[in-house]
């Protein structure tokens, strides 16, 4: 009987893993890929939706187009995970695995920041970005605050991108002079592993009169008085709040007993959990890399190689290296790039490529190559 591989979550990690296994094993693969959604959306597409650059429909990649030999896509909500028995309960039944890969990403905990639901807006979900698309055009004067409500959070450069794109958006509408933009960040700098990238972002903020507040710990919003309350007791007034909610592993993961301190600990080189035959990749795992799609994808490649080696009885591959590159929107059609190495040295190191239109084209290619590879577009 073929080895039953069950992959939980069809995001960057789950899609890449299932694609490699299908490419290598064809119809001999026995992969079940489970997700509650009906479409994949790139994280950065939320910025496009929020600023009206693309419609929500245009950024959806429906799972019905993910057609891979040996992979069965199942649209179900996962309600229980038994890592010891490698069994998964869903609203549609039960799935048993020989190899189980948890790639369920990170969820948002909106209620962890009192006032955010009533008085703020978040742009980290498609629904939130869609709502903001209708709210932002009505903002013509006053204080806009981009606020990160907790760390770790997905794609550390994304809040900086949101502030820079907001500057462009308000400038294009001729109302920038009537508005202030502040970015509240719990981290000490915009992108701590790469001082060069942080410097470039701080320079871009200064050129555009965007106020950057490092080390800001948001505890709540008071919608009545329109202020953001920080842990040190100080308050920041706002007329428009664009929030990054606190993150946490999905409830089903927390309830499974796999998580420690919020996420699933794994051996960073192999992505193995402490449960035999169970791996965790991407945002749901604690690996020592940021929560970003490129890292989920890199981890998925390592797990694919390990699984293939195990099936073929071959040698185990080299471990996960924690390398990744992220594109950063600087506005005005220019994109920068940060390349980070998290695991090969004693501490993370990063290099920065200055924003250009050539890198904007490269970012387009990044997206279209994934759309082609995963969804045949
Ligand atoms: C605004 C923004 C900009 C970003 N920009 C970038 C960028 O430029 N580059 C980059 O690399 N990353 C970027 N990211 C981050 C990136 O989107 C995530 O880090 C990435 O999607 C994580 O991949 P993953 O496979 O670990 O999880 P996800 O892609 O989140 O996939 C998890 C899947 O699990 C499913 N799931 C969860 N719970 C259940 C359940 N109970 N039952 C069934 N299914 C479930 C979800 O539906 C989801 O499809 C950005 C994110 C945001 C919000």
């Amino acid at each position: 009987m073929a080895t039953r591989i069950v992959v939980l979550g069809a995001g960057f990690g789950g899609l890449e893993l299932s694609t490699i296994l299908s490419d290598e094993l064809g119809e001999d693969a026995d992969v079940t890929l489970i997700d509650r959604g009906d479409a994949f959306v790139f994280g950065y597409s939320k910025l496009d939706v929020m600023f009206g650059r693309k419609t929500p429909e245009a950024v959806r990649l429906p799972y019905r187009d993910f057609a891979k030999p040996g992979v069965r896509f199942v649209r179900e909500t996962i309600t229980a995970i038994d890592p010891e028995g490698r069994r998964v309960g869903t609203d549609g039944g039960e799935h048993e695995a020989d190899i189980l890969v948890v790639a369920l990403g990170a969820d948002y905990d909106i209620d962890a920041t009192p006032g955010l639901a009533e008085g703020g807006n978040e742009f980290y979900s498609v629904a939130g970005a869609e709502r903001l698309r209708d709210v932002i055009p009505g903002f013509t004067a006053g204080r806009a605050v981009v606020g990160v409500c907790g760390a770790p959070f997905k794609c550390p450069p994304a809040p900086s991108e949101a502030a820079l794109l907001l500057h462009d958006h308000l400038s294009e509408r001729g109302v920038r002079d009537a508005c202030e933009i502040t970015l509240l960040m719990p981290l000490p700098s915009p992108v701590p592993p790469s001082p060069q990238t942080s410097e470039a972002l701080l320079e871009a903020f200064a050129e555009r009169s965007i106020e950057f507040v490092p080390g800001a710990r948001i505890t709540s919003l008071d919608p009545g008085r329109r202020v953001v309350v920080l842990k040190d007791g100080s308050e920041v007034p706002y007329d428009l709040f664009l929030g990054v909610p606190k993150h946490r592993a999905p409830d089903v993961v927390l309830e499974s007993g796999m998580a420690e301190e919020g996420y699933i600990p794994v051996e960073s080189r192999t992505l193995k959990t402490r449960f035999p035959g169970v791996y965790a990749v991407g945002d749901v795992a604690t690996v020592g890399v940021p929560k970003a799609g490129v890292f989920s994808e890199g981890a998925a490649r390592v797990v694919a190689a390990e699984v293939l080696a195990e099936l073929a009885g071959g040698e185990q591959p080299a471990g996960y290296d924690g390398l990744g590159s992220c594109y950063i929107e600087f506005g005005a059609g220019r994109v920068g790039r940060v390349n980070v190495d998290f695991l090969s040295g004693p501490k993370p190191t990063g290099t920065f490529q200055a924003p250009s239109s050539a890198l904007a084209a490269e970012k387009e290619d990044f997206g279209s190559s994934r759309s082609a590879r995963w969804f045949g577009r």
Side-chain angles (χ1 to χ4, degrees), residues 141-197:
R143 299 185 182 98
V145 173
V146 178
V148 180
C149 298
F153 59 96
K154 293 182 201 183
C155 191
S160 301
E161 294 178 292
L164 292 167
L165 294 176
L166 179 63
H167 167 86
D168 273 13
H169 186 86
L170 297 174
S171 304
E172 278 157 27
R173 283 175 32 220
V175 297
R176 178 65 182 97
D177 287 346
C179 304
E180 289 169 29
I181 304 177
T182 299
L183 170 53
L184 300 177
M185 171 72 84
L187 308 177
S189 62
V191 182
S194 170
Q196 231 186 327
T197 308

Side-chain angles (χ1 to χ4, degrees), residues 9 11-13 35-36 43-44 76 78 103-105 124 155 282-283 292-294 296:
F12 267 91
D35 203 290
R36 63 185 168 200
Y44 57 72
E76 289 172 3
I78 297 151
L104 289 169
Y124 258 48
C155 191
D283 290 355
V294 282
S296 305

Side-chain angles (χ1 to χ4, degrees), residues 17 56 67 71 87 115 124 136 196 219 221 227-229 231 274-275 287 292 376:
L17 174 63
V71 181
R87 267 189 301 273
Y124 258 48
I136 292 174
Q196 231 186 327
T219 53
L221 267 67
V227 292
V228 184
V229 182
K231 199 172 173 201
R274 64 193 165 91
F275 302 96
V287 194

Side-chain angles (χ1 to χ4, degrees), residues 333-351:
R334 292 179 318 135
V335 168
R337 182 177 148 152
V338 55
N339 312 304
V340 207
D341 176 346
F342 275 90
L343 298 177
S344 42
K347 62 178 200 159
T349 54
T351 56

Side-chain angles (χ1 to χ4, degrees), residues 275-297:
F275 302 96
V278 183
Y279 297 83
V281 298
D283 290 355
V284 78
T286 308
V287 194
V289 300
K291 300 199 180 302
V294 282
F295 293 103
S296 305
E297 216 183 78

